Amino acid sequence: MKNEHRAMTECAAEAARIARGVDPGRLAGPTPCAEWDLRGLVNHWVLYSSHGLEHRALRKPLPDELTACDFTADADWAEQYAAQLDRAVAAWADPAAWEGEIDLGGSAMPAKEIALMLIEELVLHGWDVARATGQEVRLSQESAAFVLRAVESNAEIYRQYQGFADPVDRPATATTLELALAASGRDPQWTA
C-alpha cells in the first residue's frame, strides 16, 4: 500500500498542476479522446479521478448531481479539483481503504485493483488534457513504471469495454510513460 499511495500522491499532484495550466479558451478544442472535446474530457477526469477516487475509498456511491456536473463552469474549477484530489488521496491514506472489496454497482473488485485503475485514469486522462493544452506530464520513473504495470494488467479488459483502443506502435526511444500510453491505445506523438 505504501508504494501505491506514494504513486497516487505524486500522480494527483501532477494532475492538479496540469489542471491549473488549462486555458479556459481551449475548452471547446480537440483531445486525444476523439469522443470528447476538452470540456467533456475535463469533466470526466475531474469526476472519476478525484470525486470517484475519494468515494471509492470511502465505499460511497457517486451522487447523481456530480455525474451531471459541468465542473468547468466554475472559473476556479482547477483549484476545486486540486482540493478534491487532496481529499481523495487523504482517504486512501487509511490502510483500511486498501483492504477488502469495493462494490461497483453489481460486481465487486479488490480495493487495491480499484485504486490502481483510478491512478491509471488519473494519469492517462491527465496526459490527454496535457496534450490538448500544450503541456507535458512530469512523473518520476517509479510512478511512470507503476502506471505502465497498471495499464498492461488492465488493457485487455479495458479493450473489451472500449475503454482502450488497440495498442499503437511504440517508438524505439519511448519513455516508460510513452510505453503506457501506447499500450492504452494512445499515440504518444498526438498533438492538438
Side-chain angles (χ1 to χ4, degrees):
M1 176 217 117
K2 197 184 233 181
N3 292 337
E4 289 88 349
H5 193 261
R6 185 170 43 248
M8 179 185 289
T9 302
E10 179 186 347
C11 294
E14 180 61 0
R17 185 194 66 77
I18 291 165
R20 289 180 178 116
V22 172
D23 176 353
R26 294 182 124 170
L27 289 171
T31 71
C33 302
E35 69 275 16
W36 284 318
D37 65 5
L38 184 58
R39 181 182 312 278
L41 174 60
V42 165
N43 283 320
H44 174 85
W45 185 47
V46 169
L47 176 64
Y48 291 104
S49 71
S50 65
H51 295 283
L53 187 62
E54 180 186 31
H55 281 75
R56 295 293 188 218
L58 300 175
R59 309 315 199 256
K60 294 181 179 179
L62 281 169
D64 288 340
E65 64 269 12
L66 282 180
T67 60
C69 185
D70 177 5
F71 298 102
T72 65
D74 291 321
D76 67 340
W77 72 265
E79 291 307 321
Q80 291 177 31
Y81 177 53
Q84 180 58 41
L85 283 168
D86 288 344
R87 287 188 290 275
V89 169
W92 284 96
D94 180 354
W98 298 84
E99 297 172 2
E101 293 190 330
I102 296 177
D103 182 9
L104 299 174
S107 65
M109 289 180 65
K112 184 175 179 179
E113 287 182 35
I114 295 293
L116 300 181
M117 291 168 65
L118 290 167
I119 294 168
E120 178 184 300
E121 176 101 353
L122 182 68
V123 172
L124 295 178
H125 283 316
W127 179 85
D128 296 331
V129 171
R131 293 303 283 193
T133 57
Q135 301 181 69
E136 295 295 325
V137 174
R138 294 180 280 207
L139 291 179
S140 67
Q141 180 61 27
E142 179 184 30
S143 289
F146 177 86
V147 172
L148 176 59
R149 285 190 305 275
V151 168
E152 289 177 339
S153 66
N154 293 312
E156 290 312 312
I157 193 158
Y158 273 50
R159 281 190 189 87
Q160 289 176 13
Y161 296 98
Q162 286 81 44
F164 284 172
D166 289 334
V168 300
D169 290 335
R170 300 169 180 203
T173 59
T175 65
T176 304
L177 180 59
E178 288 172 337
L179 293 174
L181 295 167
S184 76
R186 287 167 168 80
D187 176 3
Q189 307 307 313
W190 186 92
T191 56

